[in-house]
C-alpha cells in the first residue's frame, strides 16, 4: 500500500511514522509513505501557495495550481492512485470506510492548511474524508490518522492475523472489556468466566458485554450493526434487566 502525501509540512510526518508498528510496517514494505511538499509545485521566486479569499474574509486560501500540479505529477504513471482530500466537509471516517480504503493499493492524501483549499481543487479529487466534526489547523494529523487506521488492517502489519477482527466497530459494535494480569487489582477482580477456559461461554459473555457496552455508550451504532436474532434477544434481555423501556 502506497501513501503519497501532499503537504506544506512534511516534517510533521517524520516522528509519527518512526518507531512502533508503522515503522515496522514500512521496513517490511507493507506500507510505503512518500512525502511531497506542495511548495515544490508552486511557481515564481517566492513559491507562493496561498492567497486572500475572493469576496473578502479572514485567513488565507491555498491556491489551486500547486496542489493540482502536485497531484498530476504523482498520478502520472499511477492512474490507479486514489486522490483523497482531507477536509472537515468530507465523508466521516468510520471503520467501514477504513476497511474499504484498505483494499486500495495507492492513495494520494492532500492536506489543506489555513482556511482550506480553493474550491477548484475538488475537481481533481476522487474522495473527501473528514476524521471528525471538529476543525484542525491542517490536514496532516488527519492524514496520519488515516494511515494509521488503514495500516493496521493490512495483513502482516499487526503481526497477529485476525487481531483487528474483534476491535471496536469491526463488527459494528464496541469491543467487550479486556483484562490482563494481575487477576486481582486493588480489590477489582477479573470476571470469573474469563478464567474458566470454557471458550464457548467466554464467547457468549464477550458478545453480551459488547452489546451492553454499545447500547450504553453508543446506541446510535446498534441501528447499523446488522444484529442477528440472537444479538437482538440479548439486547432485549439487557434492556429488560435495566428496567428501561
Ligand atoms: N475553513 C475550512 C477548514 C480549514 S481547516 C472549512 O471550514 O471547511 C484547514 C485544513 O485542515 C483543511 O483544509 C483540512 O485539510 C484540514 N482539516 C481540518 N479539520 C479537518 C477534519 N476534521 N478532517 C480532515 N481534515 C481536516
Amino acid at each position: 500500500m502506497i501513501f503519497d502525501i501532499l503537504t506544506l509540512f512534511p516534517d510533521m510526518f517524520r516522528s509519527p511514522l518512526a518507531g512502533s508498528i508503522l515503522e515496522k510496517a514500512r521496513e517490511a514494505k507493507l506500507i510505503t509513505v512518500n512525502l511531497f511538499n506542495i511548495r515544490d509545485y508552486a511557481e515564481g521566486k517566492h513559491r507562493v501557495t496561498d492567497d486572500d479569499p475572493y469576496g473578502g474574509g479572514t485567513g488565507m486560501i491555498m491556491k489551486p495550481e500547486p496542489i493540482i500540479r502536485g497531484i498530476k505529477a504523482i498520478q502520472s504513471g499511477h492512474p490507479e492512485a486514489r486522490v483523497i482530500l482531507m477536509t472537515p466537509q468530507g465523508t466521516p471516517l468510520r471503520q467501514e470506510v477504513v476497511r474499504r480504503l484498505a483494499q486500495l493499493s495507492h492513495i494520494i492524501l492532500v492536506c489543506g492548511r489555513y482556511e482550506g483549499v480553493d474550491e477548484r481543487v475538488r475537481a481533481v479529487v476522487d474522495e473527501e474524508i473528514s476524521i471528525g466534526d471538529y476543525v484542525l489547523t491542517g490536514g496532516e494529523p488527519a492524514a496520519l490518522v488515516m494511515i494509521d487506521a488503514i495500516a493496521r488492517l493490512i495483513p502482516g502489519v499487526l503481526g497477529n492475523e485476525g487481531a483487528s477482527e474483534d476491535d471496536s466497530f469491526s463488527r459494528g459494535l464496541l469491543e467487550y472489556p479486556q483484562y490482563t494480569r494481575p487477576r486481582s487489582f486493588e480489590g477489582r477482580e477479573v470476571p470469573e468466566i474469563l478464567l474458566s477456559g470454557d471458550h464457548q461461554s467466554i464467547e457468549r459473555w464477550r458478545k453480551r458485554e459488547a452489546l451492553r457496552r454499545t447500547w450504553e455508550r453508543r446506541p446510535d451504532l446498534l441501528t447499523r450493526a446488522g444484529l442477528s436474532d440472537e444479538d437482538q434477544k440479548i439486547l432485549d434481555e439487557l434492556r429488560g434487566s435495566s428496567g428501561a423501556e
Side-chain angles (χ1 to χ4, degrees):
M1 173 74 134
I2 300 172
F3 298 94
D4 287 334
I5 322 276
L6 269 165
T7 168
L8 283 175
F9 297 96
D11 284 346
M12 282 186 74
F13 289 86
R14 300 196 204 277
S15 152
L17 293 174
S20 185
I21 289 177
L22 291 184
E23 176 154 308
K24 283 202 202 114
R26 286 165 57 222
E27 279 169 355
K29 298 268 183 287
L30 296 169
I31 65 166
T32 302
V33 182
N34 301 311
L35 299 166
F36 298 88
N37 195 328
I38 294 169
R39 195 165 298 284
D40 294 341
Y41 300 98
E43 288 186 320
K45 193 164 123 222
H46 300 294
R47 296 190 173 272
V48 176
T49 57
D50 58 310
D51 208 336
D52 300 315
Y54 273 116
T58 53
M60 301 299 272
I61 306 298
M62 291 180 73
K63 291 163 68 62
E65 313 93 309
I67 296 178
I68 292 175
R69 217 175 277 133
I71 292 173
K72 296 242 157 93
I74 300 171
Q75 264 179 334
S76 70
H78 301 284
E80 78 288 358
R82 190 159 185 86
V83 183
I84 299 182
L85 175 67
M86 305 315 305
T87 162
Q89 304 175 20
T91 305
L93 188 64
R94 295 175 174 280
Q95 193 65 17
E96 71 224 31
V97 176
V98 174
R99 248 192 316 259
R100 169 169 63 78
L101 297 176
Q103 305 300 317
L104 300 173
S105 58
H106 194 158
I107 297 180
I108 300 174
L109 293 170
V110 182
C111 304
R113 275 271 150 184
Y114 318 118
E115 283 314 310
V117 303
D118 183 289
E119 187 66 20
R120 290 161 293 184
V121 168
R122 295 201 146 92
V124 300
V125 159
D126 297 313
E127 192 166 350
E128 303 182 22
I129 301 269
S130 163
I131 63 159
D133 292 342
Y134 39 80
V135 181
L136 305 165
T137 57
E140 290 77 9
L144 280 164
V145 165
M146 293 252 303
I147 295 170
D148 192 288
I150 292 171
R152 71 195 291 290
L153 294 188
I154 294 174
V157 169
L158 286 188
N160 174 6
E161 291 314 314
S164 59
E165 275 169 24
D166 281 342
D167 282 330
S168 293
F169 311 114
S170 63
R171 293 187 177 132
L173 300 175
L174 301 181
E175 197 183 50
Y176 45 81
Q178 295 267 43
Y179 297 85
T180 183
R181 273 176 276 276
R183 183 167 167 173
S184 175
F185 175 70
E186 297 185 344
R188 282 179 242 243
E189 308 291 329
V190 173
E192 203 61 41
I193 186 135
L194 297 179
L195 313 168
S196 68
D198 175 349
H199 294 294
Q200 269 190 351
S201 300
I202 292 173
E203 273 316 301
R204 267 200 307 276
W205 181 86
R206 286 182 161 166
K207 184 66 189 239
R208 190 183 177 87
E209 293 308 311
L211 283 162
R212 181 201 307 277
R213 185 149 278 200
T214 310
W215 171 56
E216 285 171 353
R217 299 183 181 199
R218 292 292 305 278
D220 58 300
L221 294 176
L222 290 174
T223 50
R224 304 162 358 121
L227 300 178
S228 66
D229 290 349
E230 199 203 317
D231 297 340
Q232 197 54 56
K233 218 175 102 205
I234 298 172
L235 258 184
D236 291 343
E237 275 170 35
L238 290 170
R239 287 193 173 113
S241 63
S242 82
E245 281 146 327

